[in-house]
Amino acid sequence: MGATKTEHFTDYQNQIAILAKALGHPARVAIIEYLMKVDTCICGDIVNELPLAQPTVSQHLKELKNAGLIKGSIEGNAICYCIDEKSLTKLQGYFANISDSLEKKKNNCC
Amino acid sequence: MGATKTEHFTDYQNQIAILAKALGHPARVAIIEYLMKVDTCICGDIVNELPLAQPTVSQHLKELKNAGLIKGSIEGNAICYCIDEKSLTKLQGYFANISDSLEKKKNNCC
DNA sequence: AATCTTTATCGTAATATTGCAATATAATTA
DNA sequence: TAATTATATTGCAATATTACGATAAAGATT
């Protein structure tokens, strides 16, 4: 016990959960917001932007990358990270749908 | 060490992270989707809908409630859970903003 | 080639999450 | 009021996450 029972849920549910989980830490939210702020993706200074040690930031970047929220490409001896549009579009669509449905229902509830 | 360094991030970043984290498990995504599916919030059968034991479901419901994604009101000896619109609207707005910004930038990146 | 810069990985400690059996609580019904 | 029904809490084992120092890897600079 202790591990998530992934196999009992739909692919879609798991995908949303993976994306949401990746954003389930303020440091990772901050990373996404920083990547939004800087137009280009000439990065490398993400570590300086965050109040965390370099290995910790590296680990958070890895998690965002594994979830598909960002992508990184090698740029000399640095690495250039940027947002992966597809995943954020997916989340946007998911919550837009829910909001739409809630509005239609007029929240006839509680 | 081991605990999240919440205090180093903004309130908004923490709020988004808390909401996202709550959705960071497929069971909790499934619960939200079930609450969307059934119009009313006369619940009590959430446990039967999920492939998890009753205490586990109860725990997931508690986490969704703590994050502010659902609310529960006592209805006889059962408890009536339903979606808390405010939090989902917040998430919807957050991702809509990001998507808008990404589109404006035309993703000049990588 | 030696050094610097940048990022990743390893190892490890602290803490959190997941899941469930057993049990408790509280309203309902018989 | 005793049994039933619905949900919560407790306690615990298994696993995952968070954070960071130390170190490795790999391209850039001198």
Side-chain angles (χ1 to χ4, degrees):
Chain A
M1 301 144 214
T4 294
K5 291 196 161 178
T6 330
E7 68 279 10
H8 293 314
F9 301 95
T10 69
D11 279 358
Y12 192 63
Q13 286 166 345
N14 279 307
Q15 278 170 42
I16 295 295
I18 285 168
L19 291 175
K21 191 176 189 176
L23 285 174
H25 191 290
R28 295 195 288 266
V29 171
I31 289 172
I32 294 293
E33 286 176 5
Y34 180 67
L35 288 179
M36 292 297 301
K37 203 181 67 183
V38 297
D39 258 3
T40 54
C41 58
I42 301 150
C43 311
D45 39 331
I46 300 178
V47 171
N48 304 320
E49 281 292 314
L50 292 182
L52 295 167
Q54 181 268 324
T56 309
V57 174
S58 187
Q59 199 175 297
H60 283 306
L61 286 167
K62 194 179 177 183
E63 270 165 78
L64 285 170
K65 201 171 149 195
N66 285 343
L69 281 162
I70 63 173
K71 39 190 178 173
S73 54
I74 296 161
E75 195 83 32
N77 70 339
I79 294 200
C80 155
Y81 279 112
C82 64
I83 289 178
D84 190 329
E85 254 185 311
K86 250 180 296 177
S87 54
L88 280 156
T89 304
K90 189 174 224 167
L91 284 171
Q92 187 264 317
Y94 186 73
F95 290 112
N97 262 339
I98 291 185
S99 279
D100 278 8
S101 300
L102 283 176
E103 206 156 328
K104 266 174 207 148
K105 281 181 192 170
K106 289 276 182 197
N107 205 30
N108 55 350
C109 174
C110 304
Chain B
M1 300 145 220
T4 294
K5 291 193 161 181
T6 331
E7 67 279 11
H8 293 314
F9 301 96
T10 68
D11 279 358
Y12 191 64
Q13 285 166 344
N14 280 306
Q15 278 170 41
I16 295 295
I18 285 168
L19 291 175
K21 190 176 190 177
L23 285 173
H25 191 291
R28 295 195 289 266
V29 172
I31 289 173
I32 293 293
E33 286 176 5
Y34 179 68
L35 288 180
M36 291 297 302
K37 202 180 70 184
V38 297
D39 258 2
T40 54
C41 58
I42 301 148
C43 311
D45 39 331
I46 299 178
V47 171
N48 305 319
E49 282 291 315
L50 292 182
L52 295 168
Q54 182 268 322
T56 309
V57 174
S58 186
Q59 196 175 301
H60 283 306
L61 286 167
K62 195 179 176 183
E63 271 166 79
L64 285 170
K65 202 169 148 198
N66 285 342
L69 281 162
I70 63 173
K71 38 191 179 174
S73 54
I74 297 162
E75 195 83 32
N77 71 337
I79 293 201
C80 154
Y81 279 112
C82 64
I83 289 178
D84 189 328
E85 253 184 311
K86 252 180 296 177
S87 54
L88 281 155
T89 303
K90 189 173 223 166
L91 284 171
Q92 186 264 317
Y94 186 73
F95 290 112
N97 262 340
I98 290 185
S99 279
D100 278 7
S101 300
L102 283 176
E103 206 157 326
K104 269 174 206 149
K105 281 181 192 170
K106 288 275 181 198
N107 206 29
N108 56 349
C109 173
C110 303

